[in-house]
Amino acid sequence: MLDYSKFLNKKVVNVKPSGIRKFFSIAEEMDDVISLGVGEPDFLTPWHIRRSAIDYLDKGATRYTANAGLLALREEICNYYSRKFKIDYKPKGEVLVTVGGSEGIDMAIRTLITNGDEVLVIEPSFVCYKPIVETSGGVPVPLITKEENNFKLDAESLENAITDKTKLLVLPYPNNPTGAVMRRNELEKIAKIVIKHNLFVISDEIYSELTYGSEEHCSIASIDGMQERTIVINGFSKTYSMTGWRLGYALGPEPVISQMTKLHQFAIMSAPTNSQYAAIEALKHGDKDIAKMREDYDMRRRFTVNAFREIGLDCFEPEGAFYVFPCIKSTGLSSNEFCERLIMEKHVAVIPGTAFGDCGEGFIRVSYCYSIDNIRKAIDKIGEFVEELKEKHGS
């Protein structure tokens, strides 16, 4: 039999599979599972966006676009960031349209990182950052955030983690899985340290429009001295419920974006044409859709937090995204044990906190981008499960 290990890239082999997809796969193979595991909005893409895509298909818009994306789309992305976040970018040279935000993260890290470079990665956080750093030859250095600090990065922790090999900080706020948000005054403290040590930042802002309360999302790129050293990653999946359209974008200084575009040119060619036309419509006329969906998510957020507290599980109140990160330490089970037993015994799928870094032990991630009925049923079953554990252990 052929020894495939001789052919495989060891950096790829050593990457652990996603802890999110593991439970998604288990749920797919079982009947009557209520899944609160995957971060995919339950809303349909708004009709006017779908209709625009249909119209362009009918007109024969089926050819490649420019590698960086349709110029009209890049212009609308720049208009959007200018009016929403007060940051000005040039459509030619400072914008790259990507296949989802994930491709933008991949292109940015591969463009910036080489062998031995240290990359500061906030944890808990989305699962893709560390594997991409590792396969790029870099060294991911976890920056642990804690519940008692509202899962925010503090300036002291950042300062203490920096070495002469540190090149990049990955800043993912609003955060997946915790729902934590960094406000302008907090980002200003981070920016001072980044500038002091001449670091670069990847600011993953895919959940920027899902920020709750009176204070809107702040991009670190809007802070003095930061636009020139920040790659902003964003997209359409979460904001406009366009997950399957696979469209995102990166914004940043031309010398970096041009190199990312070169990688994108060889790896991808261009993002899906029809999706790009749909995205133009979304940016031009989608503000009301965003407001409506955000209002609905906010209602689900408050319901879900309160529901977990009522069944006796401590739950940090998120200020962004569409996840809660309840603590399950009181059950005596590890995060993985809790999730495995929950799906097998109660047919409810959630994600262990350890999927987002070792510091996620003792927590689970629950998505509330599902219907209230599904959320209610799932948490009722989780409550039954927790109560049965207490009875079994006599507590």
Side-chain angles (χ1 to χ4, degrees):
M1 183 177 177
L2 191 63
D3 183 2
Y4 292 101
S5 65
K6 294 181 179 179
F7 300 92
L8 296 172
N9 182 331
K10 287 183 171 55
K11 289 179 181 176
V12 176
V13 171
N14 291 334
V15 169
K16 295 179 181 179
S18 166
I20 300 175
R21 305 314 295 183
K22 171 185 173 181
F23 284 87
F24 179 75
S25 298
I26 294 172
E28 272 195 324
E29 296 175 3
M30 297 176 65
D31 294 328
D32 70 358
V33 169
I34 302 174
S35 177
L36 301 184
V38 180
E40 181 166 30
D42 66 333
F43 297 103
L44 284 175
T45 303
W47 169 240
H48 67 98
I49 299 173
R50 287 181 282 149
R51 183 182 60 203
S52 177
I54 293 167
D55 289 344
Y56 274 103
L57 270 179
D58 195 43
K59 293 173 184 175
T62 58
R63 297 180 179 274
Y64 294 129
T65 70
N67 294 132
L70 289 166
L71 179 58
L73 175 55
R74 284 179 277 147
E75 289 172 343
E76 287 303 326
I77 290 168
C78 292
N79 290 339
Y80 170 79
Y81 254 77
S82 179
R83 67 185 172 85
K84 283 279 187 175
F85 308 119
K86 307 297 184 289
I87 317 172
D88 293 325
Y89 290 98
K90 298 173 184 176
K92 296 180 180 180
E94 295 184 337
V95 188
L96 171 63
V97 179
T98 59
V99 181
S102 296
E103 192 221 336
I105 295 165
D106 183 30
M107 295 293 119
I109 291 174
R110 286 205 277 155
T111 295
L112 294 167
I113 298 306
T114 190
N115 291 339
D117 289 338
E118 291 182 354
V119 179
L120 302 177
V121 180
I122 288 167
E123 290 190 353
S125 67
F126 186 51
V127 297
C128 80
Y129 310 123
K130 287 175 69 175
I132 297 172
V133 170
E134 290 167 344
T135 54
S136 300
V139 180
V141 178
L143 279 175
I144 307 304
T145 61
K146 298 179 180 179
E147 185 176 17
E148 54 262 36
N149 296 323
N150 296 321
F151 293 110
K152 300 185 183 196
L153 174 63
D154 66 90
E156 183 180 358
S157 297
L158 175 59
E159 182 76 60
N160 291 339
I162 295 171
T163 72
D164 57 0
K165 294 182 180 179
T166 307
K167 181 185 277 188
L168 177 66
L169 167 66
V170 179
L171 197 67
Y173 288 97
N175 182 268
N176 170 13
T178 65
V181 168
M182 296 280 287
R183 303 298 184 180
R184 173 171 286 274
N185 65 316
E186 295 159 337
L187 290 172
E188 286 173 344
K189 296 174 184 177
I190 300 303
K192 286 181 181 178
I193 295 170
V194 167
I195 294 169
K196 171 186 171 184
H197 292 279
N198 194 29
L199 305 182
F200 221 84
V201 173
I202 293 176
S203 183
D204 185 349
E205 302 179 14
I206 196 73
Y207 295 99
S208 58
E209 286 284 11
L210 300 181
T211 301
Y212 309 108
S214 58
E215 194 173 342
E216 295 183 346
H217 170 76
C218 175
S219 172
I220 196 168
S222 69
I223 294 170
D224 287 349
M226 287 305 300
Q227 186 172 353
E228 66 183 11
R229 59 177 66 247
T230 301
I231 296 294
V232 171
I233 303 295
N234 212 322
F236 298 85
S237 294
K238 316 300 182 180
T239 301
Y240 300 98
S241 195
M242 293 176 66
T243 52
W245 299 77
R246 304 314 305 131
L247 203 69
Y249 54 89
L251 299 162
E254 190 276 335
V256 182
I257 293 293
S258 66
Q259 298 305 313
M260 289 173 60
T261 304
K262 184 167 63 178
L263 276 183
H264 169 83
Q265 177 186 59
F266 290 124
I268 302 294
M269 179 64 77
S270 60
T273 300
N274 200 237
S275 297
Q276 293 189 55
Y277 281 109
I280 293 171
E281 170 65 21
L283 289 167
K284 281 185 173 181
H285 303 117
D287 283 4
K288 289 182 180 179
D289 302 306
I290 294 171
K292 183 178 182 302
M293 286 188 277
R294 182 171 54 233
E295 183 179 355
D296 205 317
Y297 287 136
D298 191 19
M299 179 269 293
R300 300 181 201 184
R301 175 182 71 98
R302 289 179 275 111
F303 174 87
T304 305
V305 169
N306 290 335
F308 270 107
R309 289 173 177 172
E310 285 175 3
I311 65 171
L313 294 181
D314 291 337
C315 190
F316 165 75
E317 184 168 347
E319 296 180 341
F322 42 50
Y323 308 101
V324 293
F325 205 56
C327 179
I328 51 94
K329 293 176 184 177
S330 61
T331 67
L333 299 180
S334 71
S335 295
N336 206 63
E337 289 169 338
F338 186 97
C339 294
E340 286 185 349
R341 287 188 56 179
L342 182 66
I343 196 169
M344 294 303 177
E345 296 176 26
K346 297 297 181 181
H347 290 200
V348 173
V350 296
I351 307 299
T354 47
F356 309 94
D358 292 342
C359 64
E361 181 58 78
F363 296 86
I364 57 173
R365 190 195 76 173
V366 177
S367 173
Y368 55 84
C369 59
Y370 299 88
S371 72
I372 279 290
D373 284 344
N374 271 2
I375 294 170
R376 182 183 291 110
K377 289 174 185 175
I379 296 178
D380 283 348
K381 287 178 175 288
I382 294 171
E384 291 173 9
F385 178 65
V386 170
E387 195 60 36
E388 289 166 10
L389 287 174
K390 288 180 181 177
E391 291 173 1
K392 185 175 180 179
H393 292 95
S395 58

